[in-house]
């Protein structure tokens, strides 16, 4: 059974109903074309597991110039994105479906981590708002937004890259997206530990050998080694995770 064609790769979607849908609202839709058109995110859409729809905020501006920003009340530097285009877009999307979350990407939000990605991975429809310039009118945040998420303590020029980070981290967790479903579970942070080191062929590169245990074929011993390595690495690099 097919459910239409993927907007990115034009391939027919396979036998899944969408589990998840992201509606991303941005003034720079083209910035988000590439991140979702490759690899795992592309596969998730092709399989019909996750739908990612990007909306151009300017389409929702009612003024002739299609401008979405204005001077800040009270003066000061930088432009502020106005409430009207965001409100128009959000209201229109809400008519078509219910949303579990309306997320605003913002440096003053809660810092994104694996736990938040896990929480979001069981949700259905989510909107993601991308800010620009000095930010967005506070009333959008007060009236519509359910979560504010930062991808780290630094300031980027727009919310598009943070939105791509969030969507990637969440979509790869949905069952059926990764070809090896257990691999997401063994990733760093998933069990509170960093991942163990990984190696591939050749076993010997100019005298630099892969640890013998990995060539032994002894699965329980390999698992034990990986666990010990995870603990060791976490102790050294991220002792805070062990507290
Ligand atoms: N004046 C704001 C920063 C605005 S940066 C402040 O100091 O908080 C413009 C936009 O980029 C933000 O509205 C947000 O959507 C996005 N952005 C920048 N850094 C980000 C980060 N670390 N995490 C998430 N979004 C970010």
């Amino acid at each position: 059974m097919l459910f239409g064609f993927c907007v990115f790769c034009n391939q027919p979607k396979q036998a899944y109903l969408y589990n998840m849908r992201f509606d991303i609202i941005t003034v720079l839709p083209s910035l988000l074309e590439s991140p979702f058109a490759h690899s795992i995110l592309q596969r998730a859409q092709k399989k019909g597991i996750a739908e990612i729809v990007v909306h151009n905020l300017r389409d929702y501006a009612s003024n002739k110039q299609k401008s979405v920003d204005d001077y800040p009340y009270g003066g000061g530097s930088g432009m502020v994105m106005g409430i009207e285009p965001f409100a128009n877009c959000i209201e229109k999307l809400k008519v078509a479906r219910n949303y579990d979350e309306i997320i605003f990407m913002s440096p003053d939000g809660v810092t994104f981590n694996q736990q938040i990605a896990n929480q979001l991975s069981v949700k259905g429809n989510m909107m993601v708002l991308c800010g620009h310039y000095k930010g967005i009118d506070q009333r959008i945040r007060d009236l519509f937004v359910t979560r504010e998420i930062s991808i780290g303590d630094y300031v980027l020029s727009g919310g598009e890259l943070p939105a791509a980070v969030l969507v990637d981290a969440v979509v790869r967790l949905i069952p059926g997206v990764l070809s090896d479903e257990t691999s997401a579970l063994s990733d760093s942070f998933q069990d509170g530990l960093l991942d163990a080191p990984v190696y591939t062929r050749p076993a010997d590169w100019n005298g630099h050998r892969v640890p013998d245990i990995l060539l032994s074929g002894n699965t329980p011993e390999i698992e034990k080694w990986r666990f010990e390595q995870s603990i060791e690495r976490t102790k050294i690099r991220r002792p805070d995770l062990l507290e």
Side-chain angles (χ1 to χ4, degrees):
M1 202 172 166
L2 296 176
F3 295 93
F5 290 81
C6 171
V7 288
F8 292 103
C9 59
N10 214 24
Q11 296 290 313
K13 289 168 187 161
Q14 307 291 320
Y16 282 88
L17 279 170
Y18 288 119
N19 290 339
M20 182 180 287
R21 173 177 165 126
F22 275 107
D23 285 282
I24 306 176
I25 306 176
T26 167
V27 275
L28 288 175
S30 57
L31 245 186
L32 286 168
E33 274 166 21
S34 179
F36 303 138
H38 302 279
S39 181
I40 288 164
L41 289 187
Q42 185 196 46
R43 187 170 350 129
Q45 293 168 92
K46 250 193 207 173
K47 284 186 171 177
I49 299 174
E51 188 174 21
I52 304 169
V53 186
V54 179
H55 304 270
N56 189 345
L57 186 66
R58 288 192 201 284
D59 294 342
Y60 297 87
S62 54
N63 57 71
K64 260 201 211 128
Q65 305 76 27
K66 296 285 170 203
S67 76
V68 295
D69 59 320
D70 210 335
Y71 293 98
Y73 274 122
S77 62
M79 300 297 275
V80 176
M81 298 177 87
I83 189 166
E84 199 211 10
F86 272 113
N88 290 345
C89 184
I90 292 168
E91 297 295 4
K92 185 175 168 208
L93 288 171
K94 275 182 166 177
V95 170
R97 65 192 67 75
N98 292 322
Y99 283 86
D100 297 324
E101 297 282 355
I102 301 182
I103 301 166
F104 174 48
M105 305 310 303
S106 184
D108 60 9
V110 176
T111 308
F112 192 50
N113 60 19
Q114 194 62 44
Q115 202 188 339
I116 299 175
N118 290 345
Q119 287 168 10
L120 297 179
S121 73
V122 294
K123 307 258 176 185
N125 301 321
M126 287 175 270
M127 269 187 233
V128 183
L129 317 185
C130 304
H132 261 274
Y133 320 115
K134 192 74 186 149
I136 68 175
D137 189 305
Q138 180 61 38
R139 289 167 292 181
I140 305 166
R141 303 169 70 166
D142 296 341
L143 295 173
F144 299 109
V145 169
T146 59
R147 273 187 196 238
E148 301 190 328
I149 296 179
S150 162
I151 62 159
D153 289 348
Y154 41 82
V155 176
L156 300 164
S157 44
E160 289 73 19
L161 299 179
V165 167
L166 178 127
V167 171
D168 187 316
V170 172
V171 168
R172 69 193 292 284
L173 295 173
I174 308 171
V177 172
L178 293 184
S179 42
D180 174 2
E181 283 188 22
T182 56
S183 90
L185 298 177
S186 67
D187 282 337
S188 290
F189 308 113
Q190 211 42 286
D191 51 5
L193 294 175
L194 299 182
D195 204 356
V198 291
Y199 298 86
T200 185
R201 287 183 289 187
D204 186 327
W205 186 77
N206 295 346
H208 299 277
R209 284 185 51 76
V210 168
D212 287 337
I213 180 74
L214 295 179
L215 310 176
S216 68
N218 185 338
T219 309
E221 282 303 309
I222 293 173
E223 286 308 310
K224 187 166 159 259
W225 179 87
R226 286 192 169 138
F227 183 61
E228 287 163 2
Q229 291 288 319
S230 275
I231 299 215
E232 205 48 37
R233 190 167 264 204
T234 312
K235 255 189 215 162
I236 294 166
R237 298 181 182 206
R238 292 293 304 275
D240 57 297
L241 294 177
L242 295 171
E243 274 157 23

